[in-house]
């Protein structure tokens, strides 16, 4: 029977746990192997803990397994970026319309929620502290090594690697087939700090993603349910390494983040940067995502990205939606599902990896630019004028499920239209000066300008429908 398929998932993180819930709903028997101990038994979990920004794609995936309301209830809405200037002034940059927001979500709490939800299924089994060591890609078998060095052999209809940017399954696939692989470490690392509550209240405006952009580096802060802010300092490793003493550290913060020093506390800043090593950030692209009809990688294992678009988790969760849709389309025929998944998802994963890299420049530098703010205002204006045609890039990425590569393509077309509008407005201004110099009457000038603007509006509307949609 089709519904008795056996699936082995490598990795019990966010994507692995969500995948397990979704596949179990189909009646599959799902076994999840995780090399680490169960995080629910650990006081402190090693690894990246940058807060998550949950948006539309992630919410749709959580809705698929009945968890969206619970996660949203335990998250905090962030309706805009709050920019902290060097002089201490703050100004918000909204993400979209008033009803559009992203959610600050605690990574560990979300992972534990997914694990608990998965364990409620009788057909899901978790095996912790077992690492993948070998695969036989022809026979459909995998071997896992336990803490006592014992080997467990699994045979399954489908193996799915959801084991992160340094995926063991992907590494084994690379040895067995012509899998293209590209990784890039950016020259910037990160260290996390914490802003504690003030008088048992949030120390800053709560419904914002706070950003201290400083061109070569930046700091961000996301609110938590306990009224703290998880604060992450991103900057080149060479800058981290230059801060050798406590005096160096405090001087650096007072010069670059003066308003954050009293919020973080000098003692906490010194202690954290002296005792903590900056962590690296990696971008991973590969192709294909599958071997035959039995082996597949998803999430960070297939497309790890730097965290600056807030789409890493959302993209990984959307992977689960895409896999589910293709299983429906091809009636659970994995020999068709897996190749179709690779072809459909690869172009989008590549696009969002590139966007995430670009957004680091935007967050640490461009938000200070008058041209950036002008473009934001133009996007908002054009969206109001053409609500069915003009959707800003960030809105497409975060508040719709428009495919990532289509978001990029539409943005490129929007850039061309705005460039054309700029030239047209310049011609309008020049034309107005010319008719005034020639002594044409005021009424004629107004009529002419009105006609020009009417023609411009019609042109833009026609172009939007023809080229963007």
């Amino acid at each position: 029977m089709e519904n008795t398929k056996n699936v082995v998932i490598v990795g019990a993180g966010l994507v692995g746990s969500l995948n397990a819930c979704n596949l179990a709903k189909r009646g599959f028997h799902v076994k999840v192997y995780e090399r680490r101990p169960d995080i629910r038994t650990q006081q402190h979990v090693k690894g990246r803990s940058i807060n998550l920004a949950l948006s539309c794609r992630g919410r749709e995936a959580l809705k698929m397994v009945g968890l969206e309301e619970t996660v949203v209830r335990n998250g905090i809405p962030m309706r805009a970026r709050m920019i902290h200037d060097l002089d201490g002034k703050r100004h918000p940059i909204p993400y979209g319309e008033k009803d559009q927001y992203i959610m600050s979500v605690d990574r560990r709490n979300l992972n534990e929620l997914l694990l608990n939800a998965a364990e409620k299924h009788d057909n899901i089994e978790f095996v912790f502290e077992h690492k993948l060591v070998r695969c036989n890609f022809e026979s459909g078998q995998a071997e896992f090594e336990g803490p006592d060095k014992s080997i467990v052999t699994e045979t399954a209809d489908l193996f799915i690697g959801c084991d992160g940017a340094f995926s063991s399954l992907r590494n084994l696939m690379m040895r067995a087939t012509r899998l293209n692989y590209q990784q890039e470490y950016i020259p910037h690392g990160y260290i996390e700090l914490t802003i504690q509550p003030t008088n048992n209240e949030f120390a800053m405006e709560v419904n914002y993603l706070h950003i201290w952009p400083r061109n070569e580096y930046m700091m961000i802060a996301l609110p938590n349910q306990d009224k703290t802010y998880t604060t992450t300092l991103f900057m080149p490793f060479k800058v981290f390494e230059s801060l050798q003493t406590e005096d160096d550290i405090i001087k650096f913060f007072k010069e670059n983040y003066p308003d954050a020093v009293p919020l973080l506390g000098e003692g906490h800043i010194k202690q954290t940067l002296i005792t903590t090593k900056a962590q690296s950030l990696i971008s991973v692209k590969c192709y294909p995502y599958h071997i035959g009809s039995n082996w597949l990688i998803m999430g960070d294992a297939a497309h790890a990205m730097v965290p600056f678009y807030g789409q890493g988790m959302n993209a990984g969760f959307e992977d689960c939606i895409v896999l589910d849709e293709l299983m429906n389309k091809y009636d659970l025929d994995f020999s068709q599902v897996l190749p179709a998944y690779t072809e459909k998802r690869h172009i989008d994963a590549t696009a969002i990896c590139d966007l995430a890299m670009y957004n680091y420049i935007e967050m640490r530098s461009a938000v200070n630019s008058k041209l950036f703010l002008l473009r934001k205002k133009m996007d908002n204006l054009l969206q109001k004028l053409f609500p069915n045609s003009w959707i800003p890039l960030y809105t497409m990425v975060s508040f719709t499920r428009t495919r990532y590569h289509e978001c990029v393509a539409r943005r490129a077309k929007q850039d061309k239209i705005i460039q054309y509008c700029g030239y047209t407005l310049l011609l309008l201004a020049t034309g107005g000066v010319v008719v005034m110099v020639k002594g044409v009457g005021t009424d004629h000038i107004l009529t002419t300008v009105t006609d020009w603007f009417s023609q411009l509006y019609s042109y833009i509307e026609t172009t939007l429908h023809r080229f963007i949609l």
Side-chain angles (χ1 to χ4, degrees):
M1 293 177 60
E2 289 292 335
N3 284 347
T4 58
K5 290 182 182 292
N6 293 314
V7 179
V8 170
I9 295 176
V10 185
L14 298 173
V15 177
S17 301
L18 179 65
N19 235 342
C21 291
N22 198 44
L23 294 172
K25 285 173 55 183
R26 291 185 172 275
F28 296 170
H29 180 267
V30 183
K31 202 164 185 178
V32 184
Y33 279 86
E34 170 58 53
R35 64 178 176 80
R36 301 172 299 177
D38 186 342
I39 63 170
R40 294 167 295 181
T41 67
Q42 304 297 298
Q43 184 173 357
H44 176 71
V45 179
K46 293 182 179 179
R48 192 171 79 181
S49 58
I50 297 172
N51 268 41
L52 303 169
L54 178 67
S55 55
C56 173
R57 299 167 200 269
R59 291 180 64 161
E60 285 296 312
L62 290 167
K63 183 187 296 184
M64 194 167 59
V65 295
L67 293 175
E68 181 193 17
E69 289 186 11
T70 302
V71 174
V72 169
R73 187 167 59 246
N74 290 295
I76 298 178
M78 298 184 294
R79 303 182 184 279
R81 297 167 172 168
M82 180 64 77
I83 307 302
H84 293 244
D85 295 332
L86 191 58
D87 60 7
K89 294 180 180 178
R90 304 177 187 179
H91 57 93
I93 302 178
Y95 284 122
E97 299 298 317
K98 291 183 179 180
D99 62 339
Q100 292 176 327
Y101 56 86
I102 58 177
M103 301 287 299
S104 176
V105 179
D106 181 88
R107 179 185 295 270
R108 176 170 178 169
N109 289 346
L110 177 56
N111 202 164
E112 291 185 357
L113 174 69
L114 288 167
L115 289 170
N116 291 335
E119 283 192 336
K120 291 179 182 178
H121 294 270
D122 293 337
N123 50 336
I124 295 180
E125 179 183 354
F126 284 93
V127 182
F128 294 98
E129 298 185 81
H130 280 67
K131 63 181 180 180
L132 177 66
V133 290
R134 277 178 292 278
C135 294
N136 187 322
F137 293 101
E138 294 182 359
S139 65
Q141 288 185 322
E143 295 182 2
F144 296 86
E145 183 181 273
D148 60 355
K149 304 302 180 182
S150 61
I151 297 295
V152 178
T153 301
E154 289 286 354
T155 302
D157 300 291
L158 179 62
F159 291 85
I160 305 178
C162 303
D163 49 341
F166 302 99
S167 168
S168 296
L169 179 54
R170 185 191 65 228
N171 289 338
L172 291 169
M173 289 170 64
M174 288 169 61
R175 298 176 192 175
T177 188
R178 295 187 299 276
L179 187 148
N180 293 320
Y181 174 75
Q182 174 188 343
Q183 73 174 41
E184 179 182 357
Y185 283 100
I186 65 172
H188 302 73
Y190 71 92
I191 284 179
E192 288 193 346
L193 304 103
T194 303
I195 294 176
Q196 297 293 340
T198 300
N199 298 323
N200 201 34
E201 294 296 336
F202 285 102
M204 302 182 294
E205 301 91 338
V206 62
N207 295 119
Y208 297 91
L209 190 159
H210 291 263
I211 305 178
W212 289 258
R214 298 297 182 262
N215 296 319
E216 191 180 5
Y217 30 82
M218 72 170 184
M219 190 164 66
I220 66 172
L222 280 73
N224 300 308
Q225 285 285 356
D226 63 1
K227 299 182 179 179
T228 62
Y229 283 85
T230 299
T231 307
T232 311
L233 174 63
F234 298 95
M235 60 186 184
F237 282 101
K238 63 181 181 181
V239 181
F240 277 118
E241 292 162 2
S242 71
L243 304 178
Q244 295 293 316
T245 68
E246 292 184 354
D247 288 342
D248 292 339
I249 293 168
I250 294 302
K251 180 182 177 183
F252 173 83
F253 267 81
K254 287 184 175 179
E255 288 177 351
N256 293 281
Y257 309 105
D259 67 321
V261 173
L263 296 171
L264 290 163
E266 291 191 16
H268 175 56
I269 294 171
K270 293 175 184 176
Q271 175 71 13
T272 303
L273 268 75
I274 287 291
T275 61
T276 306
K277 183 180 179 182
Q279 301 297 302
S280 60
L281 294 164
I282 190 173
S283 177
V284 169
K285 300 174 185 176
C286 65
Y287 178 88
Y289 297 154
H290 74 286
I291 293 180
S293 60
N294 302 93
W295 306 87
L296 180 68
I297 52 176
M298 299 173 64
D300 282 356
H303 48 71
M305 64 197 72
V306 293
F308 305 114
Y309 221 110
Q311 285 295 304
M313 172 192 66
N314 292 290
F317 280 2
E318 191 177 47
D319 287 352
C320 300
I321 300 177
V322 173
L323 181 62
D324 187 70
E325 292 170 344
L326 292 172
M327 284 188 174
N328 289 334
K329 180 177 180 179
Y330 294 107
D331 195 25
L332 305 183
D333 180 353
F334 294 160
S335 67
Q336 295 187 73
V337 171
L338 270 57
Y341 177 88
T342 286
E343 293 308 310
K344 182 171 184 178
R345 202 59 182 149
H346 177 254
I347 187 173
D348 291 320
T350 300
I352 190 57
C353 283
D354 291 340
L355 274 178
M357 196 71 78
Y358 161 78
N359 212 46
Y360 183 35
I361 300 171
E362 177 175 302
M363 289 179 72
R364 75 179 197 241
S365 178
V367 291
N368 290 322
S369 164
K370 292 182 179 179
L371 286 175
F372 172 82
L373 297 175
L374 177 62
R375 173 58 190 265
K376 278 283 185 183
K377 291 178 180 178
M378 290 182 70
D379 273 333
N380 292 337
L381 174 61
L382 288 167
Q383 187 177 23
K384 286 181 172 62
L385 291 173
F386 312 102
N388 298 320
S389 305
W390 192 279
I391 306 175
L393 176 63
Y394 190 90
T395 300
M396 284 188 283
V397 170
S398 296
F399 304 122
T400 78
R401 278 202 59 216
T402 304
R403 294 182 63 182
Y404 289 124
H405 83 278
E406 292 178 2
C407 295
V408 174
R410 291 185 184 185
R411 172 61 175 225
K413 292 173 182 176
Q414 290 173 353
D415 288 343
K416 290 181 180 179
I417 291 171
I418 282 185
Q419 186 180 39
Y420 172 84
C421 291
Y423 290 145
T424 303
L425 290 173
L426 180 61
L427 289 173
L428 283 171
T430 304
V433 171
V434 170
V435 294
M436 290 179 69
V437 169
K438 289 184 175 181
V440 180
T442 303
D443 291 342
H444 182 69
I445 294 173
L446 290 174
T447 301
T448 302
V449 172
T450 300
D451 287 344
W452 279 339
F453 272 111
S454 178
Q455 292 174 23
L456 175 62
Y457 183 92
S458 297
Y459 173 82
I460 294 174
E461 188 172 39
T462 303
T463 302
L464 287 173
H465 282 284
R466 182 179 300 170
F467 294 107
I468 294 183
L469 297 182

